[in-house]
Structures are given as C-alpha cells and as structure tokens.
Amino acid sequence: MAQSAEIVDAITADLSDDVLAQQASLHRKIDWRGAFWVASGVPALVLFSIGAIAATVGKPSWLVWMISIGFGFIQAFTYAEIAGLFPHKSGGASVYGAVAWVRYSKFVAPVSVWCNWFAWSPVLAIGSGLAAGYILSALFPADAAINTWQITLLDLGGIKDGLSLRINATFVLGAMVLLTVFGIQHGGILRSAKTTMILGVSALIPLMLIGLIPLLTGDAPSAHFFPLAPLSHDGSGKVIDGAWDTAGWTLMAGGLFIAAWSTYGFETAVCYTREFKNPKTDTFKAIFFSGLLCIAVFTLVPLAFQGHLGLGQMVTPAVVDANGVVTTPAVYDGMLAPDIYSGMGVAAAMSGMIGGGKLIEAVMMVMLVLALMLSIMTSMAGSSRTLYQASVDGWLPKYLSHVNEHGAPTPAMWTDLGFNLLLLLLSDYVFVLAASNVGYIMFNFLNLHSGWIHRLDRPNWDRPYKAPTVLLVLGGLLGFVNLALMGMGADIWGEGTLKAGLLFAALIIPVFIYRHFIQDKGVFPATMLDDMHLSANEEGVSNRAGILPYLTLAAGVGIVWFFHHLATSGG
C-alpha cells in the first residue's frame, strides 16, 4: 500500500481524500512569505558574475546590471499570470509554459522544462565552489599546499582552453556544502523555508551594507563610471577605453547575456505554487516582492562594487614576442584583477568595502558564505521541483515523480546532487555559468511567448492575476531581445559557449523519447492529459494561435543566427 501511494502524482493527490496519496505528493505548507524567503537566495547570485562582467565589459558594467534587472522585472508579470492558471502544478514557469507549447509540438514543450532545469541546477556547483574558495582563501595563503594541490582527471581543452575535470580542495569542501544543503531540504519545503529565512536575514544584511555604505560615504568617484566606453586593449595589451563599434556592442551583449542568469532568477518564486496554502493570491505576491528585493540589490551592489574598486591599474605589463604578439596578458588590480574575474576574490574585495579592520572583514566573509548557501538552497528547491513536475507530466523518467514522507522530491534532489558534483569537478565556473545560461535564455523565450499563447487558446480561464497587455507584449519582445544578446554575446565567455549550451539543450530529445515512447508507449499520463487539456478540444480550449507559435520559433532561430554571425564576422 505504501509503495503504491509513493508514486501518486501531485494533482491527483491534492484533489483526493486519500491521506497516503497526499503524503506522497508535495505538501501545501507555505504562503507567499515562505516562497519569498526561499527565493531570497536570488540576490546572492550577484556574487557569481559581478566580477566576470566587471572585468570583461569595463566601465559600463554597472549599467548592464540596471538594464538587466529592469528586463527581468517586466518579464515577471507574464510569469505571474501563467502560474496562476495552474495552481496544482509545481516546477515553475517552464512547466506552465510547456502547457501552452505542448498543443503545438510534443518536442518543444520539454525543451522549455529541461532548459530551465539545466540553467538553475549549476547554481549548486558554482555556489558551493565559490563558497569553498572563499573559505580556503580566508584561512590559507594562496600558495599554501591545500590551495595548490590538484589531481587532473580529464583535459577538456578541446571545448575551451584551460578547461578540465579535476579534484582539489575546492571540490572536496564544495561537496560538503552541497551535502549539507541536501540534508536541510530533505525535511520538506516548510523546513527549507524556515532555514532560508534565517539565512536570508544573515545574507541580505551584508549585501545591503555593501550596496549602501560606499555610496553614502562617497567612495564612488565618477572616474570609475565614466566615460561610458566598453573595455578594449591597444596593440601592446594595455587596457584602454574602447568604441561603440561591433566589438563594443558585442561586449555589452555578452554582459547583458550573463547578467540575465542572475537578474531574471527571481521567477523561481513561482516554483512553489503547488505548495502554497492559497496559490491564487500567494503566487503574484511572491514574485512581485521578490522582484522588488532584486531591483534593490542588483542596482546598488554593482554600483558600490565598481565605485570602490574602479577599473584598476596595471600591476605587471604584458609580455610581447618579437612579432609584437602579446604572449602573456598584462595583470591589473581593481575590477580587472584575475581573482575578480574568476569570482574567488569578490568576497575579499566586498569585505574591504565597508572598512572596520580584519575582524569585520572576517565577519563579512562568513556572511557572504551564508549568502552563497542561501542561493544553493534556492536552486536545489526550485530545480528539483522542476524535475519532479516534469516527470509527473511525462517529460522525464518516472523515478523523478517520487517524494519522501516530508513531501520533498528526493529522487530529483539526488539527481541534482549527482549532476552538480560532476560540474564541481570543472575548473572554470564562468564557462559553466555561461553555457547553462544558453538554456536559460531559451527557457525565457519559450515562456514569455507562452503568455500570449495562453491568452489566445484559453481566453475564458480564471486568471487570479492578469498582467497588463502592454507588459505581456513587452515580455514577448524581450524574449527576442534575449536571443539577440545570446547570439551576439555568448561566445565572449569562451568560443564554444553557444554550441555547448545548444548541445546540452538538445539532450532532452532522446530523454523525452525514452520516457514518452518507451516508458509511456506514446501516451501522456492521464492527469497530464486532463490538466493540459489534450484529451479533447473542450469548450474554452483550442489552438487559436494557429501558425503564430511556429513563426515565433522560426524568427527566434533567425535572430540567434543573425546576431551570432554579426559578432563573429566583425560587422
């Protein structure tokens, strides 16, 4: 009896009186405040790429963050609307968007869910790796044996120069961080929400101090922000102000592309609709207030960070061979320092921004590690529920549909953990972030357009929150803008970034074929057919969008190709 109850899906359990079935699904135990605190790990994502963007784009990097969080806030209104259509579903915007696309293509819908998962899941590996790096750098000098030992397992230089799979102290300590988070989330969403509330307070305090103190004390000279010119180098490798030519706009596009991975992330607040006590009112409140928090952090922290550090001064000049070719790049401090690009030096730089000596710096370092822990909590909670709901709906293998006695989707969490232990072995976290963001941009494109598809196909459905039409249209337009940024700017983070991201996105096709055609014999689960209204063209649901979704996909492919060609051909 217990075993049969274990595989009951969320929708059936929620609507039944069977206590065993309800115990085998996600539990309704939180309100919007709980989701807000679980999603409060998103502001900490600024730590993941603030250094890479600053060191790559240069002085316009503060503007990158402001534009990007503005895009993310506009898009959130579409996600709030589509989430309200399906209060019995977990897994976030990608699941709600898949409902729109599945009536037009069986294969497009799972791409949305898959891309959302593989964009969110690497937060676990990158966050735990950065946390481990912060701890090691705080406790030991850079040349200490614990920081320098490494066992190389596989050279991946064919994908990106210098990329490899390796075991070192960062991997070992990062794995311990991941297992700690897993243990907390094993107890279900209520315990996760309570833990993230505690971590959230501890993590948001340093981020807000970092964002406010340098600005209030005037530690932000205008020369660190202007002239507003992209980063460039002269023939000898020296950093200079660039021009707004194709190369300059490519850098800006790359900055906006990578920032989106962090600034759009508060859409995870709608991952917990299936666990809200009152999903009709809690869904919009969760994403709206999470968005306001992110606007504050993603605006203030990059401004203060850049104002304090500045672009930097040359420490070691470039080495040039007899032919005038730069063989070893110049080394700079400030935003251009190597450890700022990698992210490992960001915590130390931020700790020094508020002053107060070594003790205050040590306290700040601990609090920033807690901020990373919070982001890992947010990611594991959201990405595991995406896997869970995708399995319930028939996209991914059946074993992911199971939950434990606390309502936590533990098979999905174990899958997340295993995948991220592999990512944690990679030597370049910036490349991992950029490649996974290819999937995130694809997910956003499909789901922003699902908003108007739902409006056309389900015009009479109850919408607890209905976004203003102008915001729905702007969201669709931003879907195309995001693709343009990806096509133009993805490969500034490594020549194979765009291809690697597209290749991983395509892996869902054989996975879906296995689940749908082998496990399910070509038939979707009964509850999915009912909930997605695929069993018949019932009243109020039809394919009114006609050919428009296909034209939208074709236009999207064309935009990526055009802007990628523009960047690689030099205009």
Side-chain angles (χ1 to χ4, degrees):
M1 177 71 72
Q3 186 176 5
S4 63
E6 186 183 12
I7 61 173
V8 173
D9 66 273
I11 300 167
T12 302
D14 194 52
L15 297 178
S16 75
D17 294 325
D18 187 342
V19 175
L20 288 177
Q22 290 172 357
Q23 289 176 346
S25 70
L26 302 180
H27 299 174
R28 293 196 182 277
K29 289 189 174 182
I30 60 172
D31 60 11
W32 71 268
R33 287 178 287 265
F36 171 86
W37 284 114
V38 175
S40 66
V42 173
L45 297 182
V46 71
L47 300 171
F48 287 55
S49 55
I50 189 172
I53 291 174
T56 302
V57 180
K59 290 180 180 178
S61 62
W62 63 275
L63 189 59
V64 165
W65 288 101
M66 292 181 69
I67 293 172
S68 189
I69 188 57
F71 286 177
F73 194 69
I74 291 171
Q75 294 168 181
F77 291 90
T78 298
Y79 296 146
E81 176 175 322
I82 64 176
L85 292 170
F86 305 98
H88 295 295
K89 282 189 173 294
S90 178
S94 62
V95 172
Y96 317 131
V99 181
W101 285 99
V102 71
R103 296 177 67 86
Y104 297 90
S105 172
K106 280 187 177 182
F107 291 95
V108 172
V111 169
S112 171
V113 179
W114 177 261
C115 285
N116 187 31
W117 170 73
F118 94 75
W120 261 108
S121 186
V123 174
L124 277 66
I126 301 170
S128 59
L130 288 177
Y134 289 179
I135 295 169
L136 291 170
S137 63
L139 296 178
F140 305 99
D143 58 353
I146 194 171
N147 282 325
T148 56
W149 77 272
Q150 176 172 303
I151 301 173
T152 300
L153 302 177
L154 182 64
D155 184 1
L156 299 175
I159 300 175
K160 182 181 184 293
D161 288 341
L163 189 65
S164 65
L165 290 177
R166 84 286 184 265
I167 296 177
N168 58 10
T170 300
F171 170 80
V172 175
L173 191 55
M176 294 171 62
V177 171
L178 282 180
L179 289 170
T180 300
V181 172
F182 182 92
I184 295 171
Q185 299 222 338
H186 192 271
I189 189 64
L190 184 59
R191 186 165 81 180
S192 297
K194 289 179 178 178
T195 304
T196 51
M197 182 174 68
I198 298 170
L199 285 175
V201 173
S202 303
L204 293 174
I205 288 174
L207 287 176
M208 294 310 296
L209 288 175
I210 288 165
L212 290 171
I213 289 180
L215 299 178
L216 294 176
T217 59
D219 186 19
S222 60
H224 289 181
F225 302 98
F226 301 100
L228 203 62
L231 194 69
S232 188
H233 298 82
D234 63 16
S236 62
K238 183 179 179 181
V239 169
I240 58 172
D241 289 334
W244 288 109
D245 52 13
T246 300
W249 283 111
T250 299
L251 281 182
M252 191 69 174
L256 287 167
F257 163 75
I258 205 78
W261 188 80
S262 302
T263 56
Y264 298 177
F266 65 92
E267 48 82 14
T268 192
V270 301
C271 275
Y272 315 103
T273 302
R274 175 60 185 76
E275 293 158 282
F276 284 150
K277 295 176 181 176
N278 187 353
K280 286 192 173 183
T281 58
D282 289 336
T283 301
F284 175 73
K285 290 179 180 178
I287 197 168
F288 180 76
F289 288 108
S290 296
L292 292 181
L293 173 65
C294 287
I295 286 175
V297 172
F298 287 119
T299 299
L300 293 174
V301 172
L303 277 172
F305 184 77
Q306 184 168 339
H308 176 76
L309 288 182
L311 203 57
Q313 302 295 322
M314 184 183 293
V315 177
T316 304
V319 177
V320 183
D321 64 16
N323 298 319
V325 178
V326 177
T327 56
T328 305
V331 176
Y332 285 78
D333 58 12
M335 293 195 307
L336 300 180
D339 62 344
I340 295 298
Y341 178 88
S342 69
M344 293 302 178
V346 167
M350 287 186 170
S351 297
M353 287 165 60
I354 64 172
K358 293 295 183 182
L359 177 61
I360 298 298
E361 286 190 22
V363 172
M364 286 293 294
M365 185 74 77
V366 171
M367 296 178 82
L368 288 173
V369 169
L370 292 177
L372 290 172
M373 286 281 289
L374 179 62
S375 68
I376 297 168
M377 289 279 293
T378 296
S379 177
M380 183 173 285
S383 60
S384 62
R385 280 155 178 79
T386 298
L387 290 179
Y388 166 83
Q389 190 65 52
S391 177
V392 168
D393 287 344
W395 310 122
L396 297 180
K398 290 183 177 181
Y399 82 94
L400 295 167
S401 303
H402 301 182
V403 296
N404 68 6
E405 66 275 13
H406 304 293
T410 44
M413 290 164 59
W414 278 113
T415 301
D416 255 352
L417 183 66
F419 176 66
N420 278 276
L421 286 174
L422 179 63
L423 292 183
L424 193 57
L425 292 169
L426 287 169
S427 59
D428 188 340
Y429 295 138
V430 175
F431 177 77
V432 172
L433 192 158
S436 69
N437 195 47
V438 172
Y440 196 50
I441 295 300
M442 293 172 63
F443 144 74
N444 275 280
F445 174 78
L446 292 172
N447 284 273
L448 289 170
H449 287 283
S450 75
W452 59 262
I453 295 176
H454 278 307
R455 283 273 187 100
L456 291 175
D457 286 357
R458 297 167 175 83
N460 300 320
W461 274 31
D462 179 42
R463 285 171 168 78
Y465 170 75
K466 188 173 183 179
T469 301
V470 65
L471 291 180
L472 202 70
V473 173
L474 284 175
L477 292 175
L478 286 176
F480 288 112
V481 171
N482 290 332
L483 288 183
L485 297 174
M486 180 180 78
M488 192 170 192
D491 279 358
I492 73 168
W493 306 104
E495 188 175 348
T497 300
L498 183 60
K499 290 180 180 178
L502 293 175
L503 177 62
F504 201 90
L507 292 180
I508 184 56
I509 302 302
V511 172
F512 172 64
I513 289 173
Y514 169 75
R515 169 62 197 269
H516 187 64
F517 294 102
I518 297 178
Q519 286 194 318
D520 291 343
K521 310 304 180 185
V523 179
F524 283 112
T527 50
M528 185 269 199
L529 289 172
D530 292 339
D531 197 54
M532 293 192 173
H533 300 265
L534 296 176
S535 54
N537 281 328
E538 65 187 76
E539 184 179 354
V541 182
S542 63
N543 292 22
R544 291 184 178 88
I547 197 175
L548 292 178
Y550 305 107
L551 294 177
T552 299
L553 292 175
V557 172
I559 284 174
V560 173
W561 178 87
F562 173 80
F563 281 94
H564 183 66
H565 177 74
L566 181 67
T568 54
S569 65

